[in-house]
Amino acid sequence: MTTVRPFLMFQGDAEAAMDFYSTLFAEAEIDAIERYREGEPGKTGAIKRATFTIGDQSILLFDSPVRHDFTFTPAFSLFVECDTEEQIQWLFEQLSDEGRVFMPLEGYGFSRLFCWVGDRFGVSWQLNLA
């Protein structure tokens, strides 16, 4: 069976981002971490490849050893179906802190409560309470 997973490329913040995301979701798990070793192209100790899971979604990430002129774009986002108004409000506050709000937390025609934010690491999230 083919496996398709989001793969997030950071430039030094992979571990901080993964740790932050793991605090936001009770069911989040860090599955595996592989770090750059001495003599490898990345910074020693930085994330060479890590896998973590939120709900039923496994996500890969790493710290690129190469500097790029690009980062994340809001055109790609992680979509979270929230269970309660308290959960969506809390996630909105946490993810938008030091980030960006693309669509504020409001009721929209397609959703009872919805928002779209970019977090402090530049990763975009859509939060929905149907």
Side-chain angles (χ1 to χ4, degrees):
M1 174 180 267
T2 302
T3 301
V4 178
R5 291 184 272 191
F7 187 79
L8 305 176
M9 180 185 74
F10 295 88
Q11 295 187 42
D13 291 331
E15 187 157 19
M18 182 173 58
D19 289 344
F20 175 61
Y21 303 148
S22 295
T23 67
L24 298 180
F25 301 93
E27 70 280 4
E29 277 186 40
I30 296 173
D31 304 313
I33 299 175
E34 183 181 352
R35 299 182 183 281
Y36 290 108
R37 291 183 279 204
E38 188 81 32
E40 292 185 314
K43 180 181 173 189
T44 301
I47 299 225
K48 182 176 182 179
R49 179 184 167 123
T51 307
F52 70 104
T53 304
I54 300 173
D56 62 353
Q57 182 62 63
S58 177
I59 301 168
L60 294 168
L61 55 80
F62 87 124
D63 280 316
S64 175
V66 177
R67 286 282 169 206
H68 299 280
D69 290 334
F70 57 85
T71 184
F72 301 108
T73 171
F76 177 85
S77 60
L78 298 172
F79 193 94
V80 180
E81 293 284 358
C82 297
D83 295 323
T84 65
E85 287 187 29
E86 293 78 18
Q87 181 190 28
I88 196 170
Q89 179 67 43
W90 187 79
L91 286 172
F92 171 74
E93 291 168 4
Q94 300 302 308
L95 290 167
S96 63
D97 184 34
E98 298 181 45
R100 224 173 129 191
V101 175
F102 303 116
M103 290 178 74
L105 184 59
E106 294 179 12
Y108 294 91
F110 58 86
S111 175
R112 192 163 50 109
L113 209 50
F114 175 86
C115 67
W116 190 347
V117 300
D119 68 29
R120 69 185 81 161
F121 302 103
V123 176
S124 294
W125 299 78
Q126 294 184 63
L127 308 176
N128 186 56
L129 181 65

